[in-house]
Amino acid sequence: MDTIARCDVIVCSPGRNFVTVKITTSDGIVGWGDATLNGRELAVASYLTEHVVPCLIGRDASRIGDTWQYLYRGAYWRRGPVTMTAIAAVDVALWDIKGKRANLPVYELLGGKARENVLVYGHAAGGDLAEMVDDVGRFLDLGFTAVRAQTGLVGVPQAYGAHAAGSTYDPADGSLPTETGWDTRAYLDQAPAYLAAVRERFGFDFDLLHDCHHRMTPNEAGRFGRSVEELKLFWMEDPTPAENQEGFRLIRQRTSTPIAVGEVLNSIWDVQTLITEQLIDYVRTSVSHAGGITHLRRIFDLAALYHVRSGSHGATDLSPVSLAAALALDITIPNFGIQEYMAHLPVTHEVFRPGYRLEGGRVWLSDAPGLGVEVDEEAAKKFPYERKYLPVARLADGTLWDW
Ligand code: CS2
Ligand code: MG
């Protein structure tokens, strides 16, 4: 029996903070998992080191499902981003090992390819409308057929999405959360107009996505969705905080604009109503925050019953290990929708060397056994952790709001 001989938790910051799990078996096979939780990295690292790792040593590395149940039910306390990210990292590392042991890419273990490559979307952004529209053009010139468009709001300081065109998304550069502004009235006035400007410039032959980032009430989200219907968005993302799953019934009553939700959620129960009542069109739960390959495939299987497609989160705070695992699911499931793809900084690839390849708005997977990602631990030592936070948002009167 090939047992788990050691489990290391590697915290490093090549361009931004990452937490990586390295599991080594008694046969010397190494598997990698991403345990990064943006702004709360050390909580997961400690959860793993102090509470999970001691339970793993000596376990049969092949028993992925049993280990998942052991870590989920065995914790007694259910769900949550820290727990589910920790479980996800162990799960993905064990799938990586199982692939290496079988000398097969993980996607073969999941049933084999259902498509040749994976459709992805890029992030166009800009400090103002002109910059953002130019950035959309840049992605289209690169061959992307799906682009997310975001920009700031006139009169609202540092509103989400307003960052230099082409820069890699890294929300906070201070040691404390950056305080940004928000104004829903300005957003409802300006965002439909700036998305219309994109359509005016580039037409309708590509998929245009937009992230509302959790800031509206269900009624406001219904108004927003209705106001952009003729722009034929591929989706409006996170239109309202999704703890209130029932709120999406109101949005559905008001607009046919497709809806994508899930990146901040971490279990099948968090999206169960959204899926079974068909309140969303895409589920965005990620392999690194929603319990790994084992749990995310259950979410996608439930989603398939209700015509909900996948749209996995893939921002730069999910490491290349996470993206490789997401791609293994993306290429095999029948209800694949789209995969978010934000290019990691070159410095990140000094530590993480993935085998996937971006070409013309699609990603081609490596045929290497396992996930096909190498992690350079020596290089990782050059990039010590530095505490960073996601920003917070406040309304003009100081009310703390959803960022
Ligand atoms: C965004 C993320 O990519 C997205 O859809 O919502 O960039 C999100 O803001 C970050 O991943 C938070 O860490
Ligand atoms: Mg988002």
Side-chain angles (χ1 to χ4, degrees), residues 105-357:
V106 168
Y107 65 77
E108 291 294 2
L109 306 181
L110 297 174
K113 288 182 180 177
R115 49 200 64 82
E116 293 314 308
N117 51 56
V118 173
L119 172 67
V120 295
Y121 70 90
H123 273 207
D128 59 27
L129 175 58
E131 204 177 286
M132 181 270 280
V133 171
D134 287 347
D135 207 31
V136 171
R138 187 171 66 83
F139 279 95
L140 296 176
D141 292 345
L142 289 170
F144 280 80
T145 61
V147 184
R148 187 192 90 159
Q150 308 287 142
T151 186
L153 296 171
V154 174
V156 182
Q158 293 183 291
Y160 176 78
H163 63 286
S167 71
T168 297
Y169 178 81
D170 189 353
D173 54 12
S175 60
L176 289 176
T178 305
E179 302 240 341
T180 67
W182 184 252
D183 181 321
T184 301
R185 179 201 298 260
Y187 176 73
L188 289 171
D189 287 346
Q190 297 178 34
Y194 77 59
L195 293 168
V198 173
R199 283 301 194 203
E200 243 158 74
R201 169 88 169 270
F202 300 110
F204 288 77
D205 281 351
F206 75 100
D207 289 319
L208 179 58
L209 299 85
H210 180 67
D211 192 346
C212 309
H213 223 257
H214 324 278
R215 296 175 184 174
M216 294 182 281
T217 65
N219 184 49
E220 290 163 344
R223 286 170 50 203
F224 176 82
R226 173 70 66 83
S227 73
V228 296
E229 278 180 6
E230 78 279 6
L231 302 181
K232 296 183 174 49
L233 295 187
F234 183 86
W235 76 35
M236 64 176 175
E237 178 182 335
D238 288 326
T240 191
E243 295 95 314
N244 174 19
Q245 296 187 56
E246 293 75 12
F248 287 75
R249 294 175 187 144
L250 294 176
I251 305 172
R252 268 318 206 208
Q253 288 160 15
R254 285 165 172 72
T255 181
S256 63
T257 294
I259 300 172
V261 173
E263 69 178 56
V264 296
L265 305 175
N266 45 75
S267 81
I268 197 165
W269 295 280
D270 299 334
V271 292
Q272 185 174 357
T273 303
L274 293 171
I275 289 173
T276 56
E277 291 190 17
Q278 302 178 67
L279 300 177
I280 59 175
D281 302 278
Y282 298 90
V283 59
R284 280 181 48 76
T285 35
S286 73
V287 71
S288 54
H289 299 137
I293 289 170
T294 298
H295 194 60
L296 189 55
R297 70 194 300 212
R298 300 209 195 295
I299 292 173
F300 289 159
D301 285 348
L302 175 67
L305 300 182
Y306 294 91
H307 308 290
V308 174
R309 286 178 282 178
S310 72
S312 282
H313 188 206
T316 48
D317 46 294
L318 287 71
S319 89
V321 174
S322 183
L323 183 53
L327 291 164
L329 279 165
D330 291 337
I331 207 160
T332 53
I333 59 174
N335 55 324
F336 169 71
I338 199 166
Q339 169 66 49
E340 180 175 3
Y341 182 90
M342 286 181 74
H344 288 98
L345 283 173
V347 67
T348 299
H349 290 301
E350 287 186 33
V351 174
F352 300 96
R353 297 198 189 93
Y356 53 76
R357 176 174 49 86

